[in-house]
Coordinates of all heavy atoms in Angstrom, one line a residue:
L1 N 128.1 114.8 194.3 CA 128.2 116.0 193.5 C 129.1 117.0 194.1 O 129.2 117.1 195.3 CB 126.8 116.7 193.3 CG 125.7 115.9 192.5 CD1 124.4 116.8 192.5 CD2 126.1 115.6 191.1
Q2 N 129.7 117.8 193.3 CA 130.5 118.9 193.8 C 129.6 120.2 193.8 O 129.1 120.6 192.8 CB 131.7 119.2 192.9 CG 132.7 120.2 193.4 CD 133.5 119.8 194.5 OE1 133.6 118.6 194.8 NE2 134.1 120.7 195.2
V3 N 129.3 120.7 195.0 CA 128.5 121.9 195.1 C 129.4 123.1 195.1 O 130.4 123.2 195.9 CB 127.7 121.9 196.5 CG1 126.9 123.2 196.6 CG2 126.8 120.7 196.5
I4 N 129.2 124.0 194.2 CA 130.0 125.2 194.0 C 129.2 126.5 194.1 O 128.2 126.6 193.4 CB 130.7 125.1 192.6 CG1 131.6 123.9 192.6 CG2 131.6 126.4 192.4 CD1 132.2 123.6 191.2
S5 N 129.6 127.4 194.9 CA 129.0 128.7 195.0 C 130.1 129.7 195.1 O 131.3 129.4 195.2 CB 128.0 128.8 196.2 OG 128.7 128.9 197.4
E6 N 129.7 131.0 195.2 CA 130.7 132.1 195.3 C 131.5 131.9 196.6 O 132.6 132.3 196.7 CB 130.0 133.4 195.3 CG 130.9 134.6 195.3 CD 130.2 135.9 195.1 OE1 129.4 136.0 194.2 OE2 130.4 136.8 196.0
N7 N 130.8 131.5 197.7 CA 131.4 131.4 199.0 C 131.8 130.0 199.5 O 132.4 129.9 200.5 CB 130.4 132.0 200.0 CG 130.0 133.4 199.8 OD1 130.9 134.2 199.3 ND2 128.8 133.7 200.0
A8 N 131.5 129.0 198.7 CA 131.8 127.6 199.2 C 132.0 126.7 198.0 O 131.5 126.9 196.9 CB 130.7 127.2 200.1
A9 N 132.7 125.6 198.3 CA 132.8 124.5 197.4 C 133.0 123.2 198.2 O 133.9 123.2 199.0 CB 134.0 124.7 196.4
S10 N 132.2 122.2 198.0 CA 132.3 121.0 198.8 C 131.6 119.9 198.1 O 130.7 120.1 197.3 CB 131.7 121.2 200.2 OG 130.3 121.4 200.2
E11 N 132.1 118.7 198.4 CA 131.5 117.5 197.8 C 130.3 117.0 198.7 O 130.5 116.9 199.9 CB 132.5 116.4 197.7 CG 132.0 115.2 196.8 CD 133.1 114.3 196.5 OE1 134.3 114.7 196.4 OE2 132.8 113.1 196.4
R12 N 129.2 116.7 198.1 CA 128.0 116.3 198.9 C 127.3 115.2 198.2 O 127.3 115.1 197.0 CB 127.0 117.5 199.0 CG 127.5 118.7 199.7 CD 127.8 118.4 201.2 NE 128.4 119.6 201.8 CZ 128.5 119.8 203.1 NH1 128.0 118.9 203.9 NH2 129.1 120.8 203.5
R13 N 126.7 114.4 199.0 CA 125.8 113.3 198.5 C 124.4 113.9 198.3 O 123.9 114.5 199.1 CB 125.7 112.1 199.4 CG 127.1 111.4 199.5 CD 126.9 110.2 200.4 NE 128.2 109.6 200.6 CZ 128.6 108.5 200.0 NH1 127.8 107.9 199.1 NH2 129.8 108.0 200.2
I14 N 123.8 113.6 197.1 CA 122.5 114.1 196.8 C 121.6 112.9 196.6 O 122.0 111.9 195.9 CB 122.5 114.9 195.5 CG1 123.5 116.1 195.6 CG2 121.2 115.4 195.1 CD1 123.2 117.1 196.6
T15 N 120.4 112.9 197.2 CA 119.5 111.8 197.1 C 118.5 112.1 195.9 O 117.9 113.1 195.9 CB 118.7 111.6 198.4 OG1 119.7 111.4 199.4 CG2 117.8 110.5 198.3
P16 N 118.5 111.2 194.9 CA 117.6 111.5 193.8 C 116.2 111.7 194.1 O 115.4 112.3 193.3 CB 117.9 110.3 192.9 CG 119.2 109.8 193.3 CD 119.3 110.1 194.7
S17 N 115.7 111.1 195.2 CA 114.3 111.3 195.6 C 113.9 112.6 196.2 O 112.8 112.9 196.4 CB 113.9 110.1 196.5 OG 114.6 110.2 197.7
W18 N 114.9 113.4 196.5 CA 114.7 114.8 197.0 C 114.0 115.6 195.9 O 114.2 115.4 194.7 CB 116.0 115.5 197.4 CG 116.7 115.0 198.6 CD1 116.3 114.1 199.5 CD2 118.0 115.4 198.9 NE1 117.2 113.9 200.4 CE2 118.3 114.7 200.1 CE3 119.0 116.2 198.4 CZ2 119.6 114.8 200.7 CZ3 120.2 116.4 199.0 CH2 120.5 115.7 200.2
T19 N 113.2 116.5 196.4 CA 112.6 117.5 195.4 C 113.5 118.7 195.3 O 114.4 118.8 196.1 CB 111.2 118.0 195.9 OG1 111.4 118.7 197.2 CG2 110.2 116.8 196.1
I20 N 113.3 119.5 194.4 CA 114.1 120.7 194.2 C 114.0 121.6 195.5 O 115.0 122.2 195.9 CB 113.7 121.5 193.0 CG1 114.0 120.7 191.7 CG2 114.4 122.9 192.9 CD1 113.5 121.4 190.4
T21 N 112.8 121.7 196.0 CA 112.6 122.5 197.3 C 113.4 121.9 198.4 O 114.0 122.7 199.1 CB 111.1 122.4 197.7 OG1 110.3 123.0 196.6 CG2 110.8 123.2 198.9
Q22 N 113.5 120.6 198.6 CA 114.3 120.0 199.6 C 115.8 120.3 199.4 O 116.5 120.6 200.3 CB 114.1 118.5 199.7 CG 112.7 118.1 200.2 CD 112.4 116.6 200.1 OE1 112.6 116.0 199.0 NE2 111.9 116.0 201.1
L23 N 116.2 120.2 198.1 CA 117.6 120.5 197.8 C 118.0 121.9 198.2 O 119.0 122.2 198.8 CB 117.9 120.2 196.3 CG 119.3 120.6 195.8 CD1 120.4 119.8 196.5 CD2 119.3 120.5 194.3
R24 N 117.1 122.9 197.8 CA 117.3 124.3 198.1 C 117.5 124.5 199.6 O 118.4 125.2 200.0 CB 116.2 125.1 197.5 CG 116.2 125.3 196.0 CD 115.1 126.2 195.6 NE 114.9 126.3 194.2 CZ 115.6 127.0 193.4 NH1 116.6 127.7 193.9 NH2 115.4 127.1 192.1
A25 N 116.7 123.9 200.4 CA 116.8 124.0 201.8 C 118.1 123.5 202.4 O 118.8 124.1 203.2 CB 115.6 123.3 202.5
K26 N 118.6 122.4 201.9 CA 119.8 121.8 202.3 C 121.0 122.7 201.8 O 122.0 122.8 202.5 CB 120.0 120.4 201.8 CG 118.9 119.5 202.5 CD 119.0 118.1 201.9 CE 117.9 117.2 202.4 NZ 117.7 117.1 203.9
L27 N 120.9 123.3 200.6 CA 122.0 124.1 200.1 C 122.2 125.4 200.9 O 123.3 126.0 200.9 CB 121.7 124.4 198.6 CG 121.9 123.2 197.7 CD1 121.5 123.6 196.3 CD2 123.3 122.7 197.7
E28 N 121.1 125.9 201.5 CA 121.2 127.1 202.3 C 122.3 127.0 203.4 O 123.1 127.9 203.6 CB 119.9 127.5 202.9 CG 120.0 128.8 203.7 CD 118.7 129.3 204.2 OE1 117.7 128.5 204.3 OE2 118.6 130.5 204.5
T29 N 122.4 125.8 204.0 CA 123.4 125.7 205.1 C 124.8 125.6 204.6 O 125.7 125.9 205.3 CB 123.1 124.4 206.0 OG1 123.1 123.2 205.1 CG2 121.7 124.5 206.6
I30 N 124.9 125.1 203.3 CA 126.2 125.0 202.7 C 126.7 126.4 202.1 O 127.9 126.8 202.3 CB 126.2 124.0 201.6 CG1 125.8 122.6 202.1 CG2 127.5 123.9 200.8 CD1 125.5 121.6 201.1
T31 N 125.8 127.1 201.4 CA 126.2 128.3 200.7 C 125.8 129.6 201.4 O 126.4 130.6 201.0 CB 125.5 128.3 199.3 OG1 124.0 128.4 199.5 CG2 125.8 127.0 198.5
G32 N 124.9 129.5 202.3 CA 124.4 130.7 203.0 C 123.4 131.5 202.1 O 123.0 132.6 202.5
I33 N 123.0 131.0 201.0 CA 122.1 131.7 200.1 C 120.7 131.2 200.4 O 120.5 130.0 200.4 CB 122.4 131.4 198.6 CG1 123.9 131.9 198.3 CG2 121.4 132.1 197.7 CD1 124.3 131.5 196.9
P34 N 119.7 132.1 200.7 CA 118.4 131.6 201.0 C 117.8 130.9 199.8 O 118.1 131.3 198.7 CB 117.6 132.9 201.3 CG 118.7 134.0 201.6 CD 119.9 133.5 200.8
P35 N 116.9 129.9 200.1 CA 116.3 129.1 199.0 C 115.7 130.0 197.9 O 115.8 129.7 196.7 CB 115.3 128.2 199.7 CG 115.9 128.0 201.0 CD 116.6 129.3 201.4
S36 N 115.0 131.0 198.3 CA 114.2 131.8 197.3 C 115.2 132.6 196.4 O 114.7 133.2 195.4 CB 113.3 132.7 198.0 OG 114.0 133.6 198.9
S37 N 116.4 132.8 196.8 CA 117.4 133.6 196.0 C 118.4 132.7 195.3 O 119.3 133.2 194.6 CB 118.2 134.5 197.0 OG 117.3 135.4 197.6
Q38 N 118.2 131.4 195.3 CA 119.2 130.5 194.7 C 118.9 130.3 193.2 O 117.7 130.1 192.8 CB 119.2 129.1 195.3 CG 119.7 129.1 196.8 CD 119.5 127.8 197.4 OE1 119.0 126.8 196.8 NE2 119.8 127.7 198.7
I39 N 119.9 130.4 192.4 CA 119.8 130.0 191.0 C 120.7 128.7 190.9 O 121.9 128.7 191.2 CB 120.3 131.1 190.0 CG1 119.4 132.3 190.2 CG2 120.3 130.5 188.6 CD1 119.9 133.5 189.4
L40 N 120.1 127.6 190.5 CA 120.7 126.3 190.4 C 121.0 125.8 189.0 O 120.1 126.0 188.2 CB 119.9 125.2 191.2 CG 119.5 125.5 192.6 CD1 118.6 124.4 193.1 CD2 120.7 125.8 193.5
S41 N 122.1 125.3 188.8 CA 122.4 124.7 187.5 C 123.3 123.5 187.7 O 124.1 123.4 188.6 CB 123.0 125.6 186.5 OG 124.3 126.1 187.0
L42 N 123.2 122.5 186.9 CA 123.9 121.2 186.9 C 124.8 121.1 185.7 O 124.3 121.2 184.6 CB 122.9 120.0 187.0 CG 123.6 118.6 187.1 CD1 124.3 118.4 188.4 CD2 122.5 117.6 186.9
Q43 N 126.1 120.8 185.9 CA 127.0 120.5 184.9 C 127.4 119.0 185.0 O 128.2 118.7 185.9 CB 128.2 121.4 184.9 CG 129.1 121.3 183.7 CD 130.2 122.3 183.7 OE1 130.4 123.0 184.7 NE2 130.9 122.4 182.6
P44 N 126.7 118.2 184.2 CA 126.9 116.7 184.4 C 128.3 116.2 184.2 O 128.7 115.2 184.9 CB 126.0 116.1 183.3 CG 125.1 117.2 182.8 CD 125.8 118.5 183.1
S45 N 129.1 116.8 183.4 CA 130.5 116.4 183.2 C 131.3 117.6 182.7 O 130.8 118.6 182.3 CB 130.5 115.3 182.2 OG 130.0 115.7 180.9
A46 N 132.6 117.5 182.8 CA 133.5 118.6 182.4 C 133.2 118.9 180.9 O 133.1 118.0 180.1 CB 134.9 118.1 182.6
G47 N 133.1 120.2 180.7 CA 132.8 120.6 179.3 C 131.4 120.6 178.8 O 131.1 121.1 177.8
A48 N 130.5 119.9 179.6 CA 129.1 119.8 179.3 C 128.4 121.2 179.5 O 128.8 121.9 180.4 CB 128.4 118.7 180.0
E49 N 127.4 121.4 178.8 CA 126.6 122.6 179.1 C 125.8 122.5 180.4 O 125.3 121.4 180.8 CB 125.6 122.7 177.9 CG 124.9 124.1 177.9 CD 124.1 124.3 176.6 OE1 124.5 123.8 175.5 OE2 123.0 124.8 176.7
R50 N 125.7 123.6 181.1 CA 124.9 123.6 182.3 C 123.4 123.5 182.1 O 122.9 124.1 181.1 CB 125.2 124.9 183.1 CG 126.6 124.9 183.7 CD 126.6 126.1 184.7 NE 128.0 126.4 185.0 CZ 128.3 127.4 185.8 NH1 127.4 128.2 186.3 NH2 129.6 127.5 186.2
I51 N 122.8 122.7 182.9 CA 121.3 122.5 182.9 C 120.7 123.2 184.0 O 121.0 122.9 185.2 CB 121.0 121.0 182.9 CG1 121.7 120.2 181.8 CG2 119.5 120.7 182.9 CD1 121.8 118.7 182.0
P52 N 119.7 124.1 183.8 CA 119.0 124.8 184.9 C 118.2 123.8 185.7 O 117.6 122.9 185.2 CB 118.1 125.8 184.2 CG 118.5 125.8 182.8 CD 119.3 124.6 182.5
I53 N 118.3 123.9 187.0 CA 117.5 123.1 187.9 C 116.4 124.0 188.5 O 116.6 124.8 189.4 CB 118.3 122.5 189.0 CG1 119.3 121.5 188.4 CG2 117.4 121.7 190.0 CD1 120.1 120.7 189.4
D54 N 115.2 123.9 187.9 CA 114.1 124.7 188.4 C 112.8 124.1 187.7 O 112.9 123.2 187.0 CB 114.2 126.2 188.0 CG 114.4 126.4 186.5 OD1 114.2 125.5 185.7 OD2 114.6 127.6 186.1
G55 N 111.7 124.6 188.1 CA 110.5 124.2 187.6 C 109.3 124.9 188.1 O 109.4 125.6 189.1
A56 N 108.1 124.8 187.5 CA 106.9 125.5 188.0 C 106.5 125.0 189.4 O 106.1 125.8 190.2 CB 105.8 125.3 187.0
D57 N 106.6 123.7 189.6 CA 106.2 123.2 190.9 C 107.4 122.4 191.5 O 107.5 121.2 191.4 CB 105.0 122.2 190.8 CG 104.5 121.7 192.1 OD1 105.0 122.2 193.2 OD2 103.6 120.8 192.1
E58 N 108.3 123.1 192.2 CA 109.5 122.6 192.7 C 109.3 121.6 193.8 O 110.2 120.8 194.2 CB 110.5 123.7 193.1 CG 111.0 124.4 191.9 CD 112.1 125.4 192.1 OE1 112.4 125.7 193.3 OE2 112.7 125.9 191.2
D59 N 108.1 121.6 194.4 CA 107.7 120.7 195.5 C 107.5 119.3 194.9 O 107.5 118.3 195.7 CB 106.5 121.1 196.2 CG 106.8 122.3 197.1 OD1 107.9 122.5 197.6 OD2 105.8 123.1 197.3
S60 N 107.2 119.1 193.6 CA 106.9 117.8 193.1 C 108.0 117.3 192.1 O 107.9 116.2 191.6 CB 105.5 117.8 192.4 OG 105.5 118.7 191.3
I61 N 108.9 118.2 191.7 CA 110.0 117.7 190.8 C 111.1 117.1 191.5 O 111.7 117.8 192.4 CB 110.5 118.9 189.9 CG1 109.3 119.5 189.1 CG2 111.6 118.4 189.0 CD1 109.7 120.7 188.3
H62 N 111.4 115.9 191.3 CA 112.5 115.1 192.0 C 113.8 115.3 191.2 O 113.8 115.4 190.0 CB 112.1 113.7 192.1 CG 110.9 113.5 193.0 ND1 111.1 113.3 194.4 CD2 109.6 113.5 192.8 CE1 109.9 113.2 195.0 NE2 109.0 113.3 194.0
L63 N 114.9 115.2 191.9 CA 116.2 115.4 191.3 C 116.5 114.2 190.4 O 117.4 114.4 189.5 CB 117.3 115.4 192.4 CG 117.1 116.6 193.4 CD1 118.3 116.6 194.4 CD2 117.1 117.9 192.6
S64 N 115.8 113.1 190.5 CA 116.0 112.0 189.6 C 115.6 112.4 188.1 O 116.0 111.7 187.2 CB 115.2 110.8 190.0 OG 113.8 111.1 190.1
S65 N 114.9 113.5 188.0 CA 114.6 114.1 186.6 C 115.8 114.7 185.9 O 115.7 115.0 184.7 CB 113.5 115.1 186.8 OG 112.4 114.6 187.4
F66 N 116.9 114.8 186.6 CA 118.1 115.5 186.1 C 119.2 114.5 185.9 O 119.2 113.5 186.7 CB 118.5 116.7 186.9 CG 117.4 117.7 187.1 CD1 116.5 117.7 188.1 CD2 117.3 118.7 186.1 CE1 115.5 118.6 188.2 CE2 116.3 119.7 186.2 CZ 115.4 119.6 187.2
P67 N 120.1 114.7 185.0 CA 121.2 113.7 184.8 C 122.3 113.8 185.9 O 123.4 114.3 185.7 CB 121.8 114.1 183.4 CG 121.5 115.5 183.3 CD 120.2 115.8 184.1
L68 N 122.0 113.3 187.1 CA 123.0 113.3 188.2 C 124.0 112.2 187.9 O 123.7 111.2 187.4 CB 122.3 112.9 189.5 CG 121.1 113.8 190.0 CD1 120.5 113.2 191.2 CD2 121.6 115.2 190.2
A69 N 125.3 112.6 188.2 CA 126.4 111.7 187.9 C 127.5 112.0 188.9 O 127.6 113.1 189.4 CB 126.9 111.9 186.5
P70 N 128.3 110.9 189.2 CA 129.4 111.2 190.1 C 130.3 112.3 189.5 O 130.5 112.4 188.2 CB 130.2 109.9 190.1 CG 129.1 108.8 189.7 CD 128.2 109.5 188.8
Y71 N 130.8 113.2 190.3 CA 131.7 114.3 189.9 C 131.0 115.4 189.1 O 131.7 116.2 188.6 CB 133.0 113.8 189.2 CG 133.7 112.7 190.0 CD1 133.6 111.3 189.5 CD2 134.3 112.9 191.2 CE1 134.2 110.3 190.3 CE2 134.9 111.9 191.9 CZ 134.9 110.6 191.4 OH 135.4 109.6 192.2
A72 N 129.7 115.3 189.0 CA 129.0 116.4 188.4 C 129.1 117.6 189.3 O 129.4 117.5 190.5 CB 127.6 116.0 188.2
E73 N 128.9 118.8 188.7 CA 129.0 120.0 189.5 C 127.6 120.7 189.6 O 126.9 120.9 188.6 CB 130.0 121.0 188.9 CG 131.4 120.5 188.9 CD 132.4 121.5 188.3 OE1 131.9 122.5 187.6 OE2 133.6 121.3 188.4
L74 N 127.2 121.0 190.8 CA 126.0 121.7 191.1 C 126.4 123.2 191.4 O 127.0 123.4 192.4 CB 125.2 121.1 192.2 CG 123.9 121.8 192.6 CD1 122.9 121.8 191.5 CD2 123.3 121.1 193.9
H75 N 126.0 124.1 190.5 CA 126.4 125.5 190.7 C 125.2 126.2 191.4 O 124.1 126.1 190.9 CB 126.7 126.1 189.4 CG 128.0 125.6 188.8 ND1 129.2 126.1 188.9 CD2 128.2 124.4 188.0 CE1 130.1 125.4 188.3 NE2 129.5 124.4 187.7
V76 N 125.5 126.9 192.4 CA 124.5 127.7 193.2 C 125.0 129.2 193.2 O 126.1 129.5 193.6 CB 124.4 127.2 194.6 CG1 123.3 127.9 195.4 CG2 124.2 125.7 194.7
S77 N 124.1 130.0 192.6 CA 124.5 131.4 192.6 C 123.3 132.2 193.2 O 122.2 131.8 193.3 CB 124.8 131.9 191.2 OG 123.8 131.6 190.3
L78 N 123.6 133.5 193.5 CA 122.7 134.4 194.1 C 121.9 135.1 193.0 O 122.5 135.8 192.2 CB 123.4 135.4 195.0 CG 122.5 136.4 195.7 CD1 121.5 135.8 196.7 CD2 123.4 137.4 196.5
G79 N 120.6 134.9 193.1 CA 119.7 135.6 192.1 C 119.3 136.9 192.7 O 119.1 137.0 194.0
L80 N 119.1 137.9 191.9 CA 118.7 139.2 192.5 C 117.2 139.3 192.4 O 116.5 139.0 191.4 CB 119.3 140.3 191.6 CG 120.8 140.4 191.6 CD1 121.3 141.5 190.6 CD2 121.4 140.6 193.0
S81 N 116.6 139.7 193.5 CA 115.2 139.8 193.7 C 114.7 141.2 193.2 O 115.4 142.2 193.4 CB 114.7 139.7 195.1 OG 113.4 139.9 195.3
L82 N 113.6 141.3 192.5 CA 113.1 142.5 192.0 C 112.1 143.2 192.9 O 111.6 144.2 192.7 CB 112.4 142.3 190.6 CG 113.3 141.7 189.5 CD1 112.4 141.4 188.3 CD2 114.4 142.7 189.2
F83 N 111.9 142.5 194.1 CA 111.0 143.1 195.1 C 111.7 143.7 196.2 O 112.8 143.4 196.6 CB 110.1 142.0 195.6 CG 109.3 141.4 194.5 CD1 109.7 140.2 193.9 CD2 108.2 142.0 194.0 CE1 109.0 139.6 192.9 CE2 107.5 141.4 192.9 CZ 107.9 140.2 192.4

């Protein structure tokens, strides 16, 4: 997948058995955005609509639940905390 954020863009291998929580932790080293502040979305192909990557229990939702594809784009943005 192509990981894209405001500060970085790089191609990364993503393991479908990872949970969303595991993905967020790995993305922090790439993007510099803390896991709790990340807003994730997946664009499976050029021109396709972005799919939010989130869930009520991110420790149990695996990435295999999303349409991962070669050359897909994983967008990581900074969410604003209200606290």
Side-chain angles (χ1 to χ4, degrees):
L1 295 177
Q2 185 73 18
V3 176
I4 300 172
S5 73
E6 184 176 308
N7 300 322
S10 65
E11 191 170 329
R12 299 294 175 164
R13 291 182 186 260
I14 303 295
T15 303
S17 63
W18 290 349
T19 63
I20 296 173
T21 301
Q22 290 171 312
L23 174 65
R24 287 184 186 279
K26 293 175 188 306
L27 290 173
E28 182 176 18
T29 60
I30 298 167
T31 65
I33 301 172
S36 61
S37 298
Q38 295 172 2
I39 296 175
L40 306 179
S41 62
L42 178 69
Q43 188 171 11
S45 61
E49 191 171 321
R50 288 189 192 179
I51 301 165
I53 296 184
D54 60 8
D57 184 8
E58 294 187 350
D59 288 331
S60 65
I61 299 173
H62 294 270
L63 299 181
S64 59
S65 302
F66 300 93
L68 302 176
Y71 309 108
E73 294 180 351
L74 177 63
H75 294 264
V76 185
S77 56
L78 177 62
L80 300 177
S81 176
L82 299 175
F83 302 99

